[in-house]
Amino acid sequence: MASSSSVFVLLSFLFFTLFHVQISASSLILPVTKDSATLQYLTTLSYGTPLVPTNLVLDLGGSNLWIDCASRNAPSSSSISVPHRSIQCLTAKSHEIETQAWVTSLSNPEELDQPCQILSQNSITGTKSSEGELVQDLVALKRWKLEEEEGPKSQILFACSPTLLLKGLASGAKGIAGLGRSRSSFTSQIFDSLTTQRKMSFCVSSSSGVVVFGNMGYEFQPSDEILRSLTFTPLLTATNNQKNPNSQEYFINVNSIKIGGKKVSFNTPSLSQDGNGAMLSTVVPFTTLHSSIYQIFESAFLKAALAMNMAKVEALAPFGLCFSSEGNPSVPIIDFVLQSEMVKWSIHGRNSMVQVNEKVMCLGFLDGGVDAKNNIVIGGFQLEDVLVQIDLDTNMVGFSNSLLMKQTSCSDFKRLASSMVAAE
């Protein structure tokens, strides 16, 4: 009898062969805005028949796409319920159940024609619901080279989840678009139907930005200069991410941290020694560090800041370390040292210090607690105005220096996209 893993591989192959039609198109784009009240990043997808524009929170590591379908004024006439015994159901459940359990359930006549129920999670609050019904429906996509032009419409699988999951999301948001590594994430489904390299590039700012699926290309300044200058580091995979082997998120290896050019001494030779890499996240507003790391990090930053004549002031929640911003003082540079001393992610003042009022700025790194699942979570504030490219074909992550150092920003990429002319 075939093993459960071989059954899964065979069924997954059949699913993506039979149920996905490749799109011959330019790279596709999701416009991004930031909600100032919640610090969440939002995109808008139009789905169903008739098409209804729907605001969704972007979760870089989310495992699937879920929507409060009941928020539509009228049900979509093109929505198709996915049955429990389908290959689509298996694929959507692959990150939450054992394949053998799903195969065994097919022998139960009562479950054969039942709708597929999958787990949906609000990654902001941690709330989960198993009442999400898997459906397939039309989603309108936008081309990278001409954002204002509607691109192809694709059949996308997503969960119609209960309204209670919306609690904690930005006002007007009707679900979450998961861009993680699972086979049923929005990203995976786009790449399975798009005739391009499996590259996802995202660039967010305090106002707007973009997510691009496929090649951004070098056709337009300043994107060509920025793309050519990306620094690359390996994306941790299941084999070398020992603590999170089944994770759908994106992790990179951080060996050490330097502040003001000086290496910070922690109680471990490598911050990723235990197989727990640094996770990239768009739902965590500020970078969080495990308490054992944060306490040493904060002390080292304070020492470097005082040496640069920064004036410490009373901390303002949720931040643990704040300074006077009067006189626009210089700030110590924070370096995440990656696979070697020559490869580092440098975080300058704009991405390390949060201006909380006219006179006070605070260190935008938070204590994640002693029970933090991950040693380091690189949050949205540190990702702003940095072009990040995740290449799923080569398992590499590329990142730029702060675009503000080049007198541009991620909001310029959104304007850039709408001004480019298709080359067909």
Side-chain angles (χ1 to χ4, degrees), residues 67-84:
I67 300 174
D68 174 27
C69 300
S71 63
R72 290 178 62 101
N73 292 330
S76 169
S77 62
S78 54
S79 177
I80 302 173
S81 179
V82 176
H84 172 76

Side-chain angles (χ1 to χ4, degrees), residues 107-404:
S107 62
N108 184 352
E110 296 181 358
E111 296 191 26
L112 291 182
D113 295 320
Q114 295 298 313
C116 179
Q117 301 284 339
I118 67 171
L119 185 69
S120 299
Q121 178 175 359
N122 179 327
S123 44
I124 305 296
T125 63
T127 305
K128 299 180 181 180
S129 174
S130 58
E131 298 178 5
E133 181 177 336
L134 187 66
V135 300
Q136 188 175 46
D137 207 344
L138 292 172
V139 173
L141 306 171
K142 292 181 180 294
R143 301 178 191 273
W144 160 244
K145 292 186 177 180
L146 197 60
E147 186 197 358
E148 299 305 319
E149 174 187 301
E150 289 291 342
K153 294 181 177 65
S154 182
Q155 290 282 349
I156 297 292
L157 293 170
F158 59 89
C160 282
S161 298
T163 303
L164 62 88
L165 274 187
L166 297 180
K167 185 177 181 179
L169 300 189
S171 177
K174 300 302 180 184
I176 290 182
L179 306 180
R181 306 179 72 178
S182 74
R183 298 304 300 269
S184 58
S185 73
F186 184 79
T187 300
S188 293
Q189 293 190 69
I190 290 298
F191 284 139
D192 284 319
S193 59
L194 188 64
T195 55
T196 186
Q197 290 180 303
R198 297 197 309 152
K199 292 180 179 179
M200 175 175 65
S201 305
F202 64 93
C203 203
V204 297
S205 75
S206 58
S207 58
S208 61
V210 295
V211 179
V212 179
F213 301 97
N215 286 317
M216 293 183 72
Y218 301 106
E219 299 93 339
F220 198 95
Q221 293 281 355
S223 63
D224 61 343
E225 178 186 352
I226 295 168
L227 287 167
R228 294 180 194 278
S229 66
L230 295 183
T231 298
F232 286 89
T233 190
L235 183 66
L236 295 187
T237 58
T239 55
N240 53 22
N241 189 7
Q242 301 165 17
K243 195 168 183 178
N244 302 284
N246 298 316
S247 176
Q248 313 304 320
E249 293 95 352
Y250 301 100
F251 289 83
I252 60 174
N253 186 67
V254 176
N255 279 325
S256 63
I257 297 176
K258 291 182 178 180
I259 298 178
K262 295 182 179 180
K263 185 175 180 179
V264 181
S265 297
F266 296 99
N267 298 324
T268 173
S270 170
L271 297 175
S272 301
Q273 184 184 27
D274 61 355
N276 185 0
M279 185 177 81
L280 306 180
S281 174
T282 55
V283 296
V284 175
F286 305 100
T287 292
T288 61
L289 308 173
H290 188 279
S291 287
S292 62
I293 297 174
Y294 178 81
Q295 293 168 8
I296 299 172
F297 174 87
E298 183 190 72
S299 178
F301 189 90
L302 176 60
K303 181 179 180 180
L306 294 178
M308 297 177 66
N309 297 317
M310 294 180 66
K312 182 184 177 185
V313 299
E314 183 178 354
L316 300 175
F319 306 105
L321 192 59
C322 297
F323 301 88
S324 169
S325 62
E326 293 183 297
N328 193 26
S330 297
V331 175
I333 298 173
I334 300 170
D335 292 320
F336 283 173
V337 182
L338 307 177
Q339 65 265 36
S340 74
E341 289 291 323
M342 300 297 293
V343 183
K344 57 188 179 181
W345 187 324
S346 296
I347 302 173
H348 296 263
R350 168 56 183 84
N351 289 100
S352 63
M353 306 302 296
V354 182
Q355 193 73 41
V356 294
N357 59 44
E358 292 182 357
K359 297 182 178 181
V360 177
M361 60 183 180
C362 298
L363 180 63
F365 289 69
L366 303 181
D367 187 341
V370 296
D371 297 321
K373 179 181 176 182
N374 302 292
N375 286 345
I376 303 173
V377 178
I378 301 176
F381 186 77
Q382 280 67 42
L383 296 173
E384 287 184 357
D385 294 309
V386 174
L387 175 61
V388 179
Q389 184 177 89
I390 298 175
D391 190 330
L392 295 172
D393 288 326
T394 62
N395 279 322
M396 298 291 287
V397 179
F399 54 91
S400 71
N401 289 321
S402 172
L403 302 186
L404 300 179

